[in-house]
Amino acid sequence: LYVPLDPAALSANRTGGRHWGALSAHKQTAELAAMWAYREAGDPTNDQPVTVDCIVFRERVMDDDNFWIALKGIRDYLFKGRLA
């Protein structure tokens, strides 16, 4: 799946001190982007364990912790009863 979203807005380095409502809006945007990517892929399902590679294409490299924190909204959408 290709999810066209720069997750940097949700990285731990950028969320410090921001109101939870602003963060919620960014997380919802990530979940919606994941939903559209999932639907465009034909709503795939799988009853076997899956391996997922996450690659973010952006100019600046994100450190590992911020990378996974920023992708949480996308992962939540895809792995709660959909892909695995």
Side-chain angles (χ1 to χ4, degrees), residues 2-15 18 22-23 25-31 33-34 54-75:
Y2 170 72
V3 181
L5 176 81
D6 183 358
L10 290 168
S11 76
N13 286 345
R14 294 212 183 156
T15 58
R18 289 171 60 193
L23 299 177
H26 282 292
K27 185 178 178 190
Q28 185 177 24
T29 299
E31 290 173 350
C54 295
I55 301 167
V56 174
F57 295 101
R58 56 189 316 270
E59 192 170 316
R60 290 189 62 191
V61 175
M62 295 176 73
D63 68 61
D64 193 52
D65 291 335
N66 284 311
F67 178 81
W68 291 113
I69 290 168
L71 293 178
K72 185 170 180 357
I74 294 170
R75 291 185 345 222

